[in-house]
Structure formats: structure tokens, C-alpha cells
Amino acid sequence: MQIEQVSILVGVEKSYDWGSTDAIQNLTGSTNRGRIAELWFSSDPTSPSRQIAIANDGEQDTPSTSSQRIDLPFKAKFLAISGPLSIQVHPSDQFVQTSRESDPEAFNCGEGKYETLLALEPTALVAGIADPGQVQTIFPRAMVEAARYLELYDHSPVVAYESLCRAILNSTPGQVSEFLTRVDNSAAELEGNFASDLRRAATAFNHHRHVMLLGASKYFELNAGESIDIVPGVPHSYLRGFGVEVTSPSENIARLGLTRKSTDAEVFFACLQADKESGLNRQGMRPQCKTNDVCGVVPGISVTHRWTDRRTPLYRQMLKGEKLNRLLIPLSAKSRIEIGSKSLTAGTALLFAATIRAGESTPSLAPGEPRLLGHVEGHYLEVSWPPPASSME
């Protein structure tokens, strides 16, 4: 096995209206007092993470344009959510490719989008399609009947969802008011804190009709250490919380409404329809990923949530399993990755990239390899992917 690079990655802060003024700041020690919504580790050309290569004889800065730079086949990012994101859906690879055949400008790349979110604090979201009982409970009866939700749901939940959303997009202020009254009156019947989260959203968005779109999906609350997979075709919106997300590198998203982001209802609904026979988990939820379990839905990428209460030699972590390319991301202010004279903390990550020699069936590396002399300790995320084959002898 040939080590291609061992590098420190520096996260890139992103500020949006729904971000938090303290979550990422408390994690990383950032002095930014604005609303930091995300902290990216990626090779996205618009915001690439700085890579600092670690050489055998010390460190050297690797510019973002360097030919030595390792391109990550995913994005990893912290999400600090103080208010709802847009109602959105991710297209499938097939839908994007078909769209670009007729319109080369459709979407920003030729891939769909998958994502997994691991909650680091209690996190709430809506995902998938609400069952008829929830819809009957909180929506005005006239809207439910006009959308033919109950009748359509038995035939196709996707068609029923689209019909209800179209009714919401054409609703009146009086219907919004009745919706919120019904939410208040049925708070005890709804899941967890759904009623209070809907009320918070209504206040934040001045009782806009788009708030009702949240009620058209199922509600979930994740505890710290639980995760959710969002596959193409699943409508969703994160409402509040703090977590770390691993996604496809694509930023292809179709939005229906709620925030100031641009929307396209017809593309949104087409993404739902395009995947309705795919057998994907349209309910949006696959709880998994307790500590040290593998989780993740991004094709070709493994995501492992790890915790160690003792200093573990770094090379042991880097050489586990078959997918030898790894990114280690500290997940708490107390987590540490030590390498050489450096101690990586939250806000940075360690990248290890290797190439397998031709004919090498069992990759191996001496424990004393200088660039892997170090330790890991605490709470961190491990993202791994296969190295390319090499013809090196």
C-alpha cells in the first residue's frame, strides 16, 4: 500500500438565516457571533476545505489548487439548526440524468443526492408522507376533502401528498388560522413536540401558508447518537437541533417553499413521482447508528460513529477494514486526534488517502509509518471509502 496523503482539513463556516449563534461556536471556539448554520469538510469548488499536508519531516500548506489535493467523494458538515429549513426533496441519479438530456442546464451536476444525519443533540425534523390520521387531525376538513387525501392515499401516498401540497399552496389565511387552531387543540395527540415546533415555525414565518407543508410529512425527534437516512424522493425539512451530516457531493435540491430559497413546485413534485416505483424508504426514517455502528446511505461511503475513552494508536484506526481512505472528524470539544506535534480538535479533521498496489490482496503498513504516529481519543465520526487500484509495484 502506498500512502498518497495525510492531511489536516480545516472546516469552512457557512452562515444562513436558520443557523445558530452558539452551537458551532461552542464546538470549535469560533469567534464568529453571527448565525453559523454549517461547517463544511468538502472539495466543493465554491468552498473547498483547506488541506494541510503532513510530511515525514513536518507540515506544509497545500493550496486548494495543488495537484496533490485529495478530492473527497462526499461532503461532511455540521448542521446547527435554530429554525426550519426549506421543504425540499433530492432527485435520484436517473431523474437528474434524464432531465439533463433534454436540458443540459438542469441541475448543477449529473448526480442525485443522498444524505445521512447523525444527531449530536436532540434534533427534530419532518420527513416522508403523513398518514391519514395525522392529516385529518390537523388540517381543515374542507382542505382534506378537496385534496381527496384519504381516497388517494390508499392508491398512492405520493399522489395524495402532492394533492395536499397543491391545496396548501392555494390556501387562504383563514385556513392557515384553522390549521394552527387544530394543531393547538390536538397537541396531546401529536408526536412528541410536533405541535410546539409547528407553532414556532408559524411565528418565525409570520403564519405563512407554507408552514402547513410541514404538517404534510411525518414528524421525528432524534436523540443524540441516532441518525436518519434521507434518500432521493423523500420530502423533508430539518426543524431544530445539532448534528453532523454526510451527503453526496451534489447540491441538487428541489424546494417547495417556506424559506427565501428559490422554489420550483413542478420539479419538486416530479422528483417524488420519478422514484415512486423505486422501492426507496419513502417514510424517510431508518433509525440506526448507535456508537461504533456503521451507518450511512451515500453510495460507496461508509460512516461510523465512534467513541473511545482511551488513547488509541492512530494507525490502528486508519488500517481497519477494506475502505482505506478515511476522514476522521472530532465531534465534541473534548475529542482529540493527535498526530506528530499537532492536536486536532473540533473544526478540523484528519484525512488519510492510500493507493493499493497491483496484486496486493491484504493491504498492510508498518505501525511506525511516521505520518501515522499519533492517537485518537473521544467522540468522532469516521468516513471511509475505497482507494483506487494502482499499477505501482
Side-chain angles (χ1 to χ4, degrees), residues 287-305:
Q288 51 172 347
C289 195
K290 300 298 182 182
T291 300
N292 287 327
D293 284 351
V294 174
C295 60
V297 72
V298 180
I301 307 297
S302 293
V303 183
T304 310
H305 175 204

Side-chain angles (χ1 to χ4, degrees), residues 87-316:
I87 307 294
Q88 58 188 260
V89 66
H90 302 157
S92 66
D93 291 348
Q94 181 179 359
F95 183 84
V96 172
Q97 291 160 11
T98 301
S99 298
R100 287 167 69 89
E101 286 175 3
S102 57
D103 178 8
E105 300 301 316
F107 297 105
N108 61 19
C109 72
E111 299 178 354
K113 186 176 177 68
Y114 298 74
E115 70 185 37
T116 292
L117 177 75
L118 170 68
L120 299 177
E121 295 179 2
T123 297
L125 66 148
V126 293
I129 298 170
D131 59 55
Q134 176 179 306
V135 170
Q136 287 181 294
T137 297
I138 62 178
F139 280 92
R141 180 176 178 180
M143 286 187 68
V144 178
E145 292 178 349
R148 299 168 54 215
Y149 194 84
L150 304 184
E151 172 189 346
L152 293 173
Y153 187 91
D154 288 338
H155 172 68
S156 170
V158 172
V159 174
Y161 175 82
E162 177 180 343
S163 181
L164 180 59
C165 287
R166 289 189 184 278
I168 292 170
L169 296 179
N170 292 294
S171 61
T172 66
Q175 288 174 318
V176 177
S177 179
E178 183 180 348
F179 170 84
L180 293 173
T181 297
R182 294 174 72 93
V183 167
D184 289 339
N185 292 340
S186 59
E189 303 173 43
L190 299 177
E191 289 285 336
N193 295 298
F194 194 15
S196 61
D197 280 327
L198 287 172
R199 262 296 174 188
R200 286 178 64 247
T203 300
F205 292 99
N206 198 27
H207 291 205
H208 196 281
R209 63 169 67 94
H210 287 180
V211 170
M212 288 195 288
L213 294 171
L214 299 173
S217 288
K218 289 190 173 184
Y219 177 79
F220 301 104
E221 287 184 282
L222 303 180
N223 296 316
E226 295 180 330
S227 71
I228 185 167
D229 290 337
I230 302 292
V231 295
V234 175
H236 62 283
S237 171
Y238 296 124
L239 305 180
R240 57 174 168 81
F242 184 50
V244 61
E245 179 182 69
V246 178
T247 79
S248 306
S250 164
E251 282 298 312
N252 288 332
I253 298 171
R255 296 180 177 88
L256 186 59
L258 195 60
T259 70
R260 293 185 293 177
K261 293 276 191 177
S262 61
T263 63
D264 191 324
E266 298 313 312
V267 173
F268 177 94
F269 292 131
C271 286
L272 298 175
Q273 297 286 356
D275 292 329
K276 67 179 182 180
E277 301 299 334
S278 68
L280 295 175
N281 178 14
R282 199 167 301 285
Q283 299 311 309
M285 183 69 176
R286 183 155 63 93
Q288 51 172 347
C289 195
K290 300 298 182 182
T291 300
N292 287 327
D293 284 351
V294 174
C295 60
V297 72
V298 180
I301 307 297
S302 293
V303 183
T304 310
H305 175 204
R306 295 194 184 278
W307 174 273
T308 174
D309 59 1
R310 64 190 68 181
R311 296 174 76 241
T312 302
L314 182 61
Y315 75 87
R316 290 184 181 174

